[in-house]
Amino acid sequence: MTTATATSSDASSTSGLNWTPRLWGTLIVLCAAMFLDALDVSMVGVALPSIGSELHLSTSTLQWVVSGYVLGYGGLLLLGGRAADLLGRRRVFLVALGVFAAASLVGGLVDDGALLIGARFLKGVSAAFTAPAGLSIITTTFAEGPARNRALSIYTTCGASGFSLGLVLSGLLTSVGWRWTFLMPVPVALLALLVAVRLLPRPVEERAQGGYDVLGAITGTATVLLLVFTVTEAQGAGWLSPRTLGSLGVVAVLAAAFLAIESRAAHPLVRLGIFRNGSVARANLVAFAMAGAYGGFQFVVTLFLQHLLGWSALKMALGLLPAGAMIALSAPFMGKVVDRFGTGRLLPLGLLSLTAAFALFLRLDEHSSYPVLVLPSMALLGIGFMLAFPSVNIAATSGVADEEQGLASGLVNTAIQVGTAVVLAGATAMITAGSAGGDSPQAQLDGYRPALLFVTAVSLVGLLIAATGALLDRRRGSAAVPVLDAPPAGSDRPSADEVRTAPAPEHVRDAVLTRS
């Protein structure tokens, strides 16, 4: 069942909204870890030129400072989620957070490119274990409904804040020295670790039953690792090169083997039946599209502002601040918004706002001004992530048993990381092909616009999936709230009043809220 449930003194408050200081402290610690995990995805971006200059790294080597983290994070999330279920969420979270702090310290002190990339990979691996463990601690500690929605909204908003504020902090820290982008998380991670040891409860744990799916772990992890590696390297090797096509072929074979193993394993790493839950399946697809589109957009914006408009790292950080600030400030009240309107309504609205933000940026040119071009997109990005990021995480874990919360958390986080890697690789290829290697302003714009069209289209696909899910939930909600006549005498069938006053299941409440 659960590895990190509330203590007996807190248990009664996990289903309500009057939480004890211990519960608040637990949530804050988990939020800090999630913030750091998300922050590291994007924080190193602005520092890359300084890193390359000081360590004498080529462009092809420098990209692995970013890709190494994504490779470790995205490649091992499924294993991290299942490990949390089987080994204990508290234990996995604490060990992985300690590794994250150590790898951050090493990354800030090394003077060798290979060691720096290794430290980034190790940080990604540790994040692959802290993220699903932390999310599943929340979903098994707070009862499904308003309490869990509130906790998840705060938690995921912190993750979105880290993701969006990464470039902002990177610009500020790089102006002091690139090493601070690695060293800054160290004291935060250590403080979170010390508090987590104190606050995360140690009940008699009832872990998920079953053995270890070794073959599933090997093939599943190898599939995701090779996929992320292939799409990252495809830009340099060529998308139609024998190396890329051969690697994609191996990915297909590994994926087929993984599915065959999971369908027959007594205790699978990924129980395929979890995707029969339509909310989980759609949430993972939407997470893939949403994170991928934003990752590609962020890359285009960084190149456009720094290379074409000549902005400094600090100016760019301040220019992107509105989106991150809006997301961070929304954390206290997004839970109430989710309870009021339901994820079925908020998720499409969030994707619509994100898609509009990307589409508006298509107006870019060499004379673009901040108020006309950048600020409107930043405002729409802030609104979009406020609405969509908590909603997609709530939807991805709704209706899932406690013993599979680590799996559900690992799946949605994997979708986010793989989506970022795949769409970013596609956007990079379009920038290179469109500019044809030219450095003139027009050549650069000819590369940026196709990439922006691509990320807008990906976001639109996510919007259509979210809207389809909302429509299906609305139809199911209409059929799921019957009004019964009075039961026959002596019958155990509930009366109409009992039906009207009984609490509806979560998916029905969500659907009814969507219709209201």
Side-chain angles (χ1 to χ4, degrees), residues 75-144:
L76 294 170
L77 271 164
L78 288 179
L79 188 59
R82 191 56 179 157
D85 287 335
L86 291 173
L87 301 177
R89 298 176 182 108
R90 183 183 187 274
R91 179 182 294 109
V92 168
F93 180 83
L94 293 177
V95 171
L97 186 56
V99 173
F100 184 93
S104 296
L105 180 61
V106 170
L109 299 177
V110 298
D111 287 312
D112 180 76
L115 291 176
L116 182 66
I117 293 169
R120 286 282 293 172
F121 177 77
L122 189 57
K123 290 181 75 173
V125 171
S126 63
F129 286 81
T130 57
L135 181 55
S136 57
I137 286 173
I138 289 177
T139 56
T140 54
T141 298
F142 296 90
E144 190 165 3

Side-chain angles (χ1 to χ4, degrees), residues 125-510:
V125 171
S126 63
F129 286 81
T130 57
L135 181 55
S136 57
I137 286 173
I138 289 177
T139 56
T140 54
T141 298
F142 296 90
E144 190 165 3
R148 183 185 292 181
N149 289 348
R150 183 189 189 189
L152 281 178
S153 296
I154 295 172
Y155 177 75
T156 55
T157 301
C158 286
S161 299
F163 198 51
S164 59
L165 288 174
L167 286 177
V168 177
L169 290 176
S170 180
L172 295 173
L173 294 172
T174 302
S175 64
V176 179
W178 68 264
R179 293 182 184 276
W180 287 104
T181 61
F182 288 83
L183 295 175
M184 186 278 287
V186 176
V188 180
L190 288 177
L191 179 60
L193 179 60
L194 291 174
V195 177
V197 171
R198 171 80 176 169
L199 289 184
L200 293 186
R202 304 182 198 182
V204 177
E205 299 182 349
E206 296 180 29
R207 300 177 197 155
Q209 300 299 311
Y212 292 88
D213 177 17
V214 177
L215 283 178
I218 293 173
T219 54
T221 301
T223 300
V224 180
L225 280 172
L226 186 57
L227 174 61
V228 175
F229 177 83
T230 301
V231 298
T232 303
E233 285 285 278
Q235 177 56 34
W239 282 93
L240 297 179
S241 68
R243 172 182 165 183
T244 300
L245 294 177
S247 186
L248 290 174
V250 175
V251 169
V253 171
L254 286 172
F258 174 71
L259 292 175
I261 291 168
E262 298 310 281
S263 65
R264 293 173 173 81
H267 307 290
L269 177 70
V270 177
R271 186 180 64 83
L272 299 181
I274 195 172
F275 292 109
R276 296 194 188 100
N277 182 327
S279 174
V280 171
R282 288 191 299 273
N284 278 274
L285 292 174
V286 172
F288 180 99
M290 178 181 67
Y294 177 72
F297 177 75
Q298 185 185 73
F299 185 67
V300 174
V301 170
T302 301
L303 293 178
F304 171 69
L305 296 180
Q306 288 193 305
H307 291 180
L308 187 58
L309 298 189
W311 286 22
S312 67
L314 180 59
K315 183 178 180 180
M316 193 182 76
L318 296 175
L320 301 181
L321 182 59
M326 290 174 65
I327 297 168
L329 292 174
S330 71
F333 62 83
M334 275 309 300
K336 293 181 180 179
V337 174
V338 172
D339 287 335
R340 172 66 182 86
F341 297 102
T343 58
R345 179 179 295 176
L346 295 182
L347 195 52
L349 287 177
L351 267 295
L352 178 62
S353 184
L354 291 173
T355 305
F358 304 147
L360 280 178
F361 218 85
L362 286 165
R363 301 172 299 150
L364 81 172
D365 60 47
E366 57 185 301
H367 304 295
S368 296
S369 66
Y370 179 78
V372 174
L373 178 71
V374 182
L375 185 58
S377 287
M378 291 303 105
L380 287 170
L381 275 176
I383 294 171
F385 269 104
M386 280 168 50
L387 300 176
F389 206 75
S391 297
V392 78
N393 280 275
I394 291 171
T397 55
S398 293
V400 178
D402 279 1
E403 61 268 21
E404 289 191 323
Q405 283 293 332
L407 169 60
S409 305
L411 285 171
V412 69
N413 279 286
T414 299
I416 289 171
Q417 295 306 315
V418 174
T420 300
V422 171
V423 179
L424 176 58
T428 304
M430 291 184 179
I431 291 173
T432 303
S435 64
D439 291 328
S440 68
Q442 188 57 50
Q444 292 182 58
L445 289 172
D446 288 343
Y448 299 151
R449 288 197 178 99
L452 284 172
L453 280 171
F454 173 59
V455 300
T456 304
V458 171
S459 184
L460 182 59
V461 171
L463 170 60
L464 293 175
I465 295 171
T468 300
L471 180 61
L472 291 174
D473 286 344
R474 180 177 298 182
R475 289 178 177 175
R476 277 196 295 267
S478 299
V481 189
V483 177
L484 302 179
D485 296 324
S491 172
D492 291 332
R493 189 175 127 198
S495 68
D497 288 339
E498 290 173 325
V499 171
R500 293 187 187 101
T501 58
E506 176 67 15
H507 72 278
V508 175
R509 293 199 303 270
D510 218 23

